Each structure stands twice: as C-alpha cells, then as structure tokens.
Amino acid sequence: MSGALLLGALLPHARHPRSRCLSMCTRDFSRATRFERSQFSAGGWAYSKEDLSRMDESADTYFYSSPRFVTHIDDGAIGALTAYYDESLAEGDEILDLCSSWISHLPEKQLGRVVGLGMNARELEANERLSEWVQADLNSEPTLPFADASFDAVLNVVSVDYLSRPREVFAEMNRVLRPGGQAIMSFSNRCFPSKAVRMWLAANDETRQKIVASYFAYSPEGAWRDIMAIDVSPKAQGGAGPFDIRSIFSALVPSGDPMFIVRANKV
C-alpha cells in the first residue's frame, strides 16, 4: 500500500451529526472469534514501551482541549454498535463509558446509572445519556475513581487504540466491574494517527482484534473469560432478489466504515 493510501485509511473520519438510518443495514453478530489463553504468549505481557509509544507524545490534555462535536464513524457503523448494545445490555445495567464524549451510541432502553469518563468537559456536559461524568486522562493516571464492583458494563468506543497504558486500564476495568460484568471495546479503521500507539498503526483489522483480546488476557491474567472478537460491520441491503448483481456485491463489500467489537466478562 502506498504512503498516500495508508494515510487516507488512517486519517480521522470525522462527520458532523446527522440522523441515523438503521433500515439500510443488516448486522450479523455470528461473525465472531473466541480467543483462548493459549493463543497468547505464555511469558505474560508481550508489549514494549516502543509498541505503545506514539508519534505525538505531547500532553493529551492539550490535544483534546477543544471539543469535537462530530462523529468519527459513519451512520452504519453507529447503527451496528447501537444494535449490539441493545442486544448485550440489560435494562437497569449500570454503565461506565470510558473515553466518553458528547454521544455514547446507547440504545433507547432504560439503563441505570451511566457514568462518562473522558477528556473534554464540554463534550461530556453535552452528552444527554450520562447521569454523571468525570474528566480524566487515563494515559497520565490510569486509575478509575470508582469503588470496586461498581458497574455491570464498561464501554469504550473508538478509543482503545489511544491507550498508552492499556495494561493498567484493563486491570482497573476489571476491578470496577461486578462479577460476570462485561467490557465492550469497539473500534473501526479510523483514528488520529499521531495519537494512536505505534503497533496499532502497523496492524491490520484482524491483528488489532487480537491486540485488544490480548489486553484482556494479560490484564490481569486469569481475570477475564469469554474473550471474543465480533465483526458487526454493516452491509447494505441488496436489490430485487438473491441473484441481483447489487445483492451479490453488497454481500461481499461493506457499505461503509467497518465496526469491530472485542469483549469479555469478568470472572
């Protein structure tokens, strides 16, 4: 791939808010891969300081100081993520939305306490789904300011690639979850290249799923179960019938931004 094409694939995919259209896409939650502990290094944490370094090591508080009231994935990917949440979250669940912003893509169901932790106070203030929020920089201080076993689910949307201290953050996620609680990390192929960790930029979609799965496997070891990667990328509806050329093309080619989920439950 040429440098220009690579840069185009990695540049932020910001879009201004608009209404979501779910009817044009289908979600197939059966496209899942289960990870076993044996798939990861027996020697423990496998990543170096260089792997988790970034092109721009300046303070994240400066980079995120201005609010960005845009979406970073397209409507189809947002719809696929919301549909997955709708199937995975139960009414009354208490939620921690990590690296939160002005929108959390949650379904229209009655959830319990929804706490956002993010970098920009103006974005967090504008998020109507949050019952409370905390401004914090997890790369500077990877400690979650919550008691043990406080939440039923921890969510992170298109931000896991920016964590430069994922081992500590994932261990903290495990601590604040209730037994059996779930963590759902979602991401696409868009990012701010200067702030994503180096190994993320060098990886393809499949390798990125394994990277996030390994964070669960190592952080801390033995504390997570049912580690799975799920491709929920939407595909456009086809044409008039099963043999229509548009149907065949739609079945093979994603209709927009891909959307991947890597999730696990606390033991």
Side-chain angles (χ1 to χ4, degrees), residues 144-163:
L144 299 178
F146 309 106
D148 295 356
S150 293
F151 300 99
D152 299 297
V154 176
L155 315 178
N156 179 285
V157 182
V158 296
S159 296
V160 68
D161 45 327
Y162 303 128
L163 295 177

Side-chain angles (χ1 to χ4, degrees), residues 60-201:
D60 291 338
T61 50
Y62 175 77
F63 185 83
Y64 294 104
S65 60
S66 297
R68 296 178 174 91
F69 293 107
V70 296
T71 54
H72 300 283
I73 48 177
D74 67 16
D75 290 351
I78 291 172
L81 177 60
T82 301
Y84 180 83
Y85 282 162
D86 194 37
E87 292 201 356
S88 302
L89 302 176
E91 290 194 0
D93 273 357
E94 295 191 301
I95 309 295
L96 173 60
D97 185 16
L98 282 187
C99 306
S100 188
S101 65
W102 69 278
I103 189 170
S104 294
H105 309 309
L106 293 170
E108 295 298 327
K109 64 170 51 177
Q110 189 63 46
L111 299 169
R113 175 189 183 206
V114 179
V115 182
L117 184 149
M119 293 286 294
N120 187 279
R122 286 180 59 191
E123 290 184 21
L124 295 166
E125 287 175 340
N127 190 328
E128 297 179 354
R129 295 305 302 271
L130 302 182
S131 52
E132 57 190 274
W133 57 267
V134 177
Q135 186 177 15
D137 178 0
L138 292 176
N139 286 337
S140 174
E141 179 50 64
T143 302
L144 299 178
F146 309 106
D148 295 356
S150 293
F151 300 99
D152 299 297
V154 176
L155 315 178
N156 179 285
V157 182
V158 296
S159 296
V160 68
D161 45 327
Y162 303 128
L163 295 177
S164 61
R165 300 172 72 177
R167 191 177 192 180
E168 294 99 318
V169 173
F170 274 63
E172 279 290 284
M173 286 164 37
N174 188 274
R175 180 184 64 78
V176 302
L177 277 172
R178 297 178 177 124
Q182 62 180 324
I184 302 173
M185 309 290 105
S186 59
F187 53 91
S188 187
N189 60 359
R190 310 291 181 178
C191 68
F192 297 108
S194 63
K195 284 297 184 179
V197 297
R198 290 186 185 275
M199 66 178 178
W200 193 271
L201 299 181

